[in-house]
Amino acid sequence: MRYGIISDIHGNLEALEAVFKELEKQDLDKILCLGDVIGYGPDPEECVALVRSRADIILAGNHDYAPLGLVDTSFFNIYAKTAVEWTASRLSDETRTFLEQCPLRAEFENFTIVHATPSRPEAWNYILSIDDAVENFPHFKGQVCFIGHSHVPLIIEEKSDGRILVHRKNMVRCDSESRYIINVGSVGQPRDLNPRAACALFDSERLEYELLRVEYEVGMTQRKILDRGLPAFLAERLALGQ
Ligand code: ZN
């Protein structure tokens, strides 16, 4: 099966539309969304509706739960908190009900998907170091765990002898002896200094993974952020990819 995998859209409709346009060109069997469809960006309702119409599954991220009061936002920075309040004021009851029932983890064939970490998805921790990876490898079924959350694409490989390798490349043919944790980056708020929207392809038979980067109209999203009274920093960071 060929999968399209997206994560961290964050209410950025222009980036999401560009990514779906790209994914339409691929011959995909399923589209999976790893969560954070909303939060930060100016089009939360529209993004939820579009992802629901295209994706086969949508996991919950911390920013999907935040406006529902389902996560502790005391650790959110001021921009995120402001955006959570703004987003909460824009969500329809129907969308709230939908987001509330989104799962935190799912398994397909030979891989697992979560938003944050497979060991404790509900804790919203990050996998940023080798130690984080070592802790998480025992906690998923199959050969690969796809994650989002940090907005930084990354491929972490656990060799059969326990060695951990970190790859910063956009393609990998999985070694049948290794296991992988792969961060698919962010559609709507990339933080790897590359402002283009990220989305991923995975062929479960050939064990081939590829990360795509897609241009979109950043200026349009920035204008909407400012027009709708969201913090200017949230617009500025989109052009910088950070
Ligand atoms: Zn996110």
Side-chain angles (χ1 to χ4, degrees):
M1 297 258 272
R2 280 174 55 80
Y3 297 85
I5 309 175
I6 59 173
S7 191
D8 295 275
I9 294 111
H10 286 291
N12 185 336
L13 186 61
E14 289 70 35
L16 183 63
E17 286 174 341
V19 157
F20 277 135
K21 208 168 169 189
E22 181 61 40
L23 293 180
E24 269 164 27
K25 295 184 211 157
Q26 309 291 333
D27 183 24
L28 298 175
D29 298 297
K30 273 185 175 21
I31 292 181
L32 318 178
C33 174
L34 310 190
D36 274 7
V37 179
I38 64 171
Y40 297 125
D43 286 311
E45 273 288 317
E46 293 78 358
C47 287
V48 173
L50 184 53
V51 177
R52 284 177 75 177
S53 73
R54 303 282 178 92
D56 295 274
I57 185 169
I58 305 176
L59 299 184
N62 50 326
H63 283 268
D64 302 313
Y65 277 178
L68 313 177
L70 296 176
V71 295
D72 177 10
T73 56
S74 59
F75 298 106
F76 278 37
N77 64 46
I78 183 70
Y79 309 107
K81 270 188 195 159
T82 307
V84 167
E85 284 162 23
W86 182 88
T87 303
S89 73
R90 306 281 289 213
L91 292 182
S92 66
D93 289 344
E94 213 268 318
T95 295
R96 285 168 177 276
T97 307
F98 173 76
L99 293 173
E100 223 167 0
Q101 57 77 51
C102 287
L104 293 176
R105 150 199 308 262
E107 279 147 18
F108 294 84
E109 299 184 278
N110 50 359
F111 66 92
T112 295
I113 57 174
V114 294
H115 180 71
T117 69
S119 68
R120 283 180 66 215
E122 73 287 355
W124 311 114
N125 293 325
Y126 291 88
I127 299 178
L128 299 173
S129 68
I130 303 263
D131 285 348
D132 299 337
V134 168
E135 185 197 321
N136 276 282
F137 270 111
H139 293 277
F140 63 90
K141 284 192 198 152
Q143 199 181 352
V144 185
C145 182
F146 293 102
I147 63 170
H149 198 39
S150 75
H151 301 201
V152 178
L154 197 62
I155 299 170
I156 305 170
E157 175 181 7
E158 183 191 48
K159 295 285 210 184
S160 54
D161 62 7
R163 271 184 310 139
I164 304 280
L165 305 178
V166 177
H167 310 284
R168 286 198 178 272
K169 53 188 182 184
N170 288 343
M171 263 173 120
V172 72
R173 176 105 193 234
C174 296
D175 181 337
S176 59
E177 301 289 302
S178 295
R179 295 177 81 229
Y180 296 83
I181 293 174
I182 299 181
N183 192 311
V184 299
S186 167
V187 172
Q189 196 192 83
R191 293 182 194 155
D192 60 341
L193 304 179
N194 178 349
R196 289 180 298 157
C199 61
L201 307 175
F202 182 62
D203 185 316
S204 60
E205 274 132 53
R206 303 166 73 94
L207 295 177
E208 284 172 354
Y209 169 81
E210 185 179 2
L211 186 82
L212 307 176
R213 300 306 286 261
V214 185
E215 299 269 5
Y216 74 96
E217 232 189 299
V218 177
M220 168 94 87
T221 314
Q222 289 180 309
R223 273 195 299 281
K224 286 186 185 174
I225 287 172
L226 299 174
D227 288 351
R228 293 174 193 180
L230 284 158
F233 169 72
L234 297 178
E236 287 155 18
R237 72 189 305 178
L238 292 184
L240 306 170
Q242 68 181 31

